[in-house]
Amino acid sequence: MPLYRRVQGALEQVLGRVRQNLTGVRVIRAFHLEESETRNFDADNDGLTKLQLFVGRIASLTNPVTYIMINVALLVLLWTGAVRIDGGYLEQGQVVALVNYMSQILVELIKLANTIVLTTKAVASGRRVQNVFEMTSSLDIMSEKTQPEDQAGTAVPKVAFDHVTMSYHNGGDPALEEIHFEAKAGQTIGIIGGTGSGKSTLVHLIPRFYDVTEGAVRIDGQDVRSIPLETLRSRIGIVLQKAVLFHGSIRENLLWGNEDASEEEICQALRDSQSWEFVQNKEGGLEAEIEQGGRNLSGGQRQRLTIARALVRKPEILILDDSTSALDFATDAKLRQAIRSLDYHPTVFIVSQRTSSIQYADQIIVLDDGEIAGMGTHEALLEHCEVYQEIHNSQYQDQSDRKGA
């Protein structure tokens, strides 16, 4: 069993390297590391082969050893039986019966030996699977639906961060610290900051991908931890940084957002996400096939389809986590205008590295090392927030220089 566990571990290492090489094949080619990766794969594969051969040799000994033991026992039985018959202690029929019994035992022992080999493999594999099943979520997931708290007569913000501090498990310093703001229904909130400032972490707290360490995140006045995950996430449409599409038709991918969406709702989501034109130009339209990971689409097309997938849901809260980075400025502007014109008026959170993408937001939050460095409108932050000024000026320096020249 220990040897088979080692085999499973070596197999996982080989499969992990294969997956890494397939997903990063362009990077490997760009740095001309094909030969190096081939050598690394051969080394891992050779180690797995040697280990499997070693375990296989041990396993292959079970049947021969069983045959030898039984045949030796038959020889002893025949020799002893002959002596006993010659002495008149046994009859020939009794010895023949013992030989038949021994032959039957041989068959069953061979079956037992094969069962032991298969069971050993199964137990080693089963334990690794069991390790996955035994992993528990760090989230305290609600099993029963709860009713929203009664907020009658009070002006409750759609989303509220109440002095939120969040630290990743074994992550050292807090990723977010003392985050406090409110977003009203229908507002657009822009979030900007340097790399590693905590922008994605902040918006991931809304659908409760993580739990806060201190404070609370509230939707319509209710702590997200008191809302069942299915109910919570059904109200939120989120577009992640990496545009992930699945193998199947464009229609099938969009129905992930809402499996009951009508034809008109799908088409409208495509128009709002600025995807309608290129979808119509594809052979088959909505039935055009998307390869795994969207390999047959450009980066901008993948991003727009993932935005359409979120819009099909008609969410109360729409989160765009740096999901327009592959779009040109004109398409980005049209997309933002379309989102502002949505008839169901979601509360929108836009995470971006570009100030042009969030300058028309009702409120902009500037993060710096997990803390709020500034909060307000575009014009106000340009006057009073040094971090925002640096980000904005770094992006428009070339234009300023050309105008000055």
Side-chain angles (χ1 to χ4, degrees):
M1 290 184 187
L3 287 175
Y4 275 117
R5 282 199 295 271
R6 289 175 57 189
V7 168
Q8 292 299 118
L11 179 60
E12 286 183 6
Q13 186 173 346
V14 171
L15 294 177
R17 185 171 293 280
V18 170
R19 183 175 64 176
Q20 177 178 273
N21 289 343
L22 288 175
T23 56
V25 62
R26 293 183 180 177
V27 177
I28 293 171
R29 289 175 178 172
F31 287 93
H32 194 57
L33 293 174
E34 293 96 327
E35 294 183 1
S36 173
E37 288 301 313
T38 300
R39 287 195 299 271
N40 292 335
F41 172 80
D42 288 341
D44 289 343
N45 194 46
D46 288 344
L48 173 61
T49 301
K50 290 177 181 177
L51 189 56
Q52 284 183 321
L53 287 174
F54 178 64
V55 178
R57 290 190 185 101
I58 295 176
S60 65
L61 288 174
T62 54
N63 280 350
V65 168
T66 304
Y67 275 109
I68 291 172
M69 290 171 59
I70 297 299
N71 286 321
V72 168
L74 283 173
L75 288 174
V76 173
L77 176 61
L78 290 172
W79 178 266
T80 306
V83 173
R84 295 283 179 164
I85 291 172
D86 187 59
Y89 298 105
L90 289 176
E91 297 178 359
Q92 292 92 333
Q94 292 175 312
V95 175
V96 171
L98 287 173
V99 171
N100 288 334
Y101 293 152
M102 192 66 73
S103 298
Q104 292 177 11
I105 292 173
L106 170 62
V107 174
E108 300 308 319
L109 283 178
I110 291 172
K111 292 180 182 178
L112 177 61
N114 291 330
T115 302
I116 289 172
V117 173
L118 295 175
T119 302
T120 302
K121 289 182 180 179
V123 169
S125 302
R127 283 182 177 174
R128 299 188 68 82
V129 174
Q130 187 64 26
N131 289 338
V132 176
F133 285 134
E134 289 177 352
M135 293 181 66
T136 56
S137 173
S138 59
L139 301 179
D140 183 15
I141 299 174
M142 299 285 295
S143 58
E144 298 180 359
K145 293 187 177 182
T146 58
Q147 296 296 324
E149 297 171 4
D150 186 10
Q151 303 290 340
T154 60
V156 179
K158 189 66 180 178
V159 179
F161 278 65
D162 185 6
H163 300 285
V164 167
T165 296
M166 189 270 174
S167 300
Y168 289 103
H169 181 63
N170 296 327
D173 295 335
L176 294 172
E177 193 167 4
E178 274 298 309
I179 304 298
H180 185 76
F181 70 90
E182 295 179 349
K184 297 178 181 179
Q187 279 192 330
T188 298
I189 308 297
I191 301 172
I192 196 169
T195 302
S197 59
K199 304 184 297 296
S200 294
T201 301
L202 187 148
V203 293
H204 287 173
L205 292 176
I206 300 172
R208 203 185 170 199
F209 290 163
Y210 313 102
D211 271 342
V212 300
T213 308
E214 298 177 14
V217 178
R218 294 187 172 89
I219 294 179
D220 291 334
Q222 189 176 7
D223 194 321
V224 294
R225 288 170 292 189
S226 66
I227 306 174
L229 281 181
E230 183 179 354
T231 303
L232 172 66
R233 292 174 183 172
S234 67
R235 301 166 62 184
I236 299 172
I238 184 166
V239 186
L240 302 174
Q241 284 180 313
K242 184 178 180 181
V244 178
L245 295 171
F246 300 92
H247 177 69
S249 67
I250 292 175
R251 182 192 303 275
E252 289 171 348
N253 273 272
L254 296 184
L255 290 177
W256 277 68
N258 178 10
E259 60 183 13
D260 299 322
S262 65
E263 186 83 8
E264 178 55 34
E265 289 173 332
I266 292 175
C267 294
Q268 187 59 48
L270 288 171
R271 294 188 188 96
D272 292 335
S273 65
Q274 311 305 305
S275 308
W276 180 249
E277 183 176 350
F278 82 81
V279 170
Q280 286 294 97
N281 291 333
K282 280 192 167 294
E283 184 178 353
L286 283 172
E287 306 306 325
E289 185 171 327
I290 296 178
E291 295 181 6
Q292 184 178 3
R295 291 193 303 266
N296 58 334
L297 300 174
S298 69
Q301 290 172 341
R302 286 196 299 269
Q303 285 191 337
R304 281 178 281 173
L305 282 180
T306 54
I307 293 171
R309 183 174 60 195
L311 294 178
V312 165
R313 174 170 285 187
K314 294 186 177 181
E316 299 175 24
I317 301 168
L318 177 63
I319 300 172
L320 304 177
D321 186 3
D322 201 15
S323 54
T324 61
S325 57
L327 304 184
D328 58 80
F329 284 95
T331 304
D332 187 16
K334 291 178 182 177
L335 174 63
R336 286 185 277 110
Q337 178 60 41
I339 291 175
R340 285 199 297 270
S341 303
L342 292 173
D343 54 7
Y344 50 92
H345 305 299
T347 302
V348 183
F349 288 82
I350 301 177
V351 176
S352 180
Q353 302 281 2
R354 303 190 301 209
T355 57
S356 61
S357 297
I358 60 173
Q359 61 180 333
Y360 299 109
D362 299 298
Q363 186 174 220
I364 299 173
I365 299 170
V366 184
L367 293 177
D368 183 31
D369 197 22
E371 299 180 352
I372 294 181
M375 188 161 50
T377 62
H378 174 72
E379 293 75 14
L381 290 171
L382 281 179
E383 291 183 11
H384 306 295
C385 181
E386 184 177 345
V387 175
Y388 191 78
Q389 291 170 359
E390 290 177 359
I391 296 172
H392 181 77
N393 293 335
S394 67
Q395 296 174 6
Y396 289 90
Q397 189 64 47
D398 292 339
Q399 291 90 324
S400 300
D401 290 345
R402 284 196 292 269
K403 288 179 182 179

